[in-house]
Amino acid sequence: MSQVLRGVPQFLLRHSSGRTTRVLRASAFSLTHKYAAQSSTRTDRGSTRKQITVASDDGRVRWGDLSAREKAARTTQQTFNFVTVLVGLVMTGGVITFLYLEVLSPEGKTNQFNRAVDRVKKDSRCIELLGSSKKIKAYGEPTWNRWARSRPIASKIQKDRTGTEHLLMHFNVEGPINSGVVNLHMAKSPSESEFEYKYLFIDVEGHPRLFLENTDVQTDGTSKGSKGSKKKFLGIQWGW
């Protein structure tokens, strides 16, 4: 207030009556109070944060301090974050499920493939056809690149009308003497917990088909799946 009065000529203050002085002082006080209020308002507005947007919101500003537009931006951001996390969880769950069913599960395709390869390597007849078991290699579909043996194994699992699961698979084997193709068919009924072989055989060019497992045998002792017969199963033509 003294600053306001300082602008009033001193001779007016000296020669004015007491009432006039009081009016001037009251006016000065009013002006000072109004100026302080305006300054406070400008200070509050000048020190406000930047407007919240979807990209800039860091969650520090309280919900009650947000405008309607800023609340909409925060809601959009949080919804997007939630959906992103949810999609990530679903994808992670899918990967874990796939790894378990295909790789880690005892009844998965990878384990069944490894067991079939072990059967081939341990069978004396297969060793006679292919060569040393230590040098027998098993791989998926053939390729021109002799070094690229990591190929998908041709396999399929499907249920029939009775609920029985059928696993069909074929892969290539190669030894120092010969190479061949292994086919297998396994089945698991709803009441069973493990797959059982329907057949497991190897075809080597120039040699009769060699069965390691075969439950489909006719009464005369010959195999129903003798070489040269082509059958369809689950819509796929397999070489048995």
Side-chain angles (χ1 to χ4, degrees), residues 149-161:
R149 296 306 190 191
S150 182
R151 298 296 182 186
I153 305 300
S155 62
K156 184 175 184 179
I157 295 180
Q158 188 169 335
K159 288 185 179 181
D160 61 19
R161 295 180 180 178

Side-chain angles (χ1 to χ4, degrees), residues 117-207:
V117 173
D118 288 340
R119 291 286 302 272
V120 171
K121 290 183 176 181
K122 293 178 180 179
D123 191 282
S124 58
R125 297 168 298 172
C126 294
I127 295 175
E128 183 179 351
L129 284 175
L130 302 175
S132 173
S133 61
K134 295 181 180 180
K135 297 182 179 181
I136 294 177
K137 301 177 182 179
Y139 51 92
E141 297 303 311
T143 173
W144 291 104
N145 186 354
R146 295 180 60 84
W147 300 101
R149 296 306 190 191
S150 182
R151 298 296 182 186
I153 305 300
S155 62
K156 184 175 184 179
I157 295 180
Q158 188 169 335
K159 288 185 179 181
D160 61 19
R161 295 180 180 178
T162 64
T164 300
E165 290 185 69
H166 296 269
L167 168 62
L168 290 149
M169 180 185 300
H170 71 266
F171 56 89
N172 296 272
V173 289
E174 181 180 332
I177 300 177
N178 286 306
S179 60
V181 178
V182 177
N183 284 269
L184 67 85
H185 174 195
M186 305 183 77
K188 181 175 67 173
S189 66
S191 60
E192 297 175 335
S193 60
E194 297 181 356
F195 280 100
E196 297 291 339
Y197 277 106
K198 299 291 288 183
Y199 63 75
L200 171 63
F201 66 79
I202 178 173
D203 284 328
V204 176
E205 187 175 357
H207 298 270

Side-chain angles (χ1 to χ4, degrees), residues 51-70:
Q51 185 176 9
I52 298 299
T53 64
V54 175
S56 65
D57 186 16
D58 56 7
R60 295 182 181 180
V61 182
R62 295 181 303 174
W63 178 263
D65 296 335
L66 299 178
S67 65
R69 180 176 297 180
E70 291 173 331

Side-chain angles (χ1 to χ4, degrees), residues 109-119 169:
K109 296 178 182 178
T110 300
N111 281 326
Q112 297 296 355
F113 166 75
N114 291 333
R115 291 170 187 168
V117 173
D118 288 340
R119 291 286 302 272
M169 180 185 300

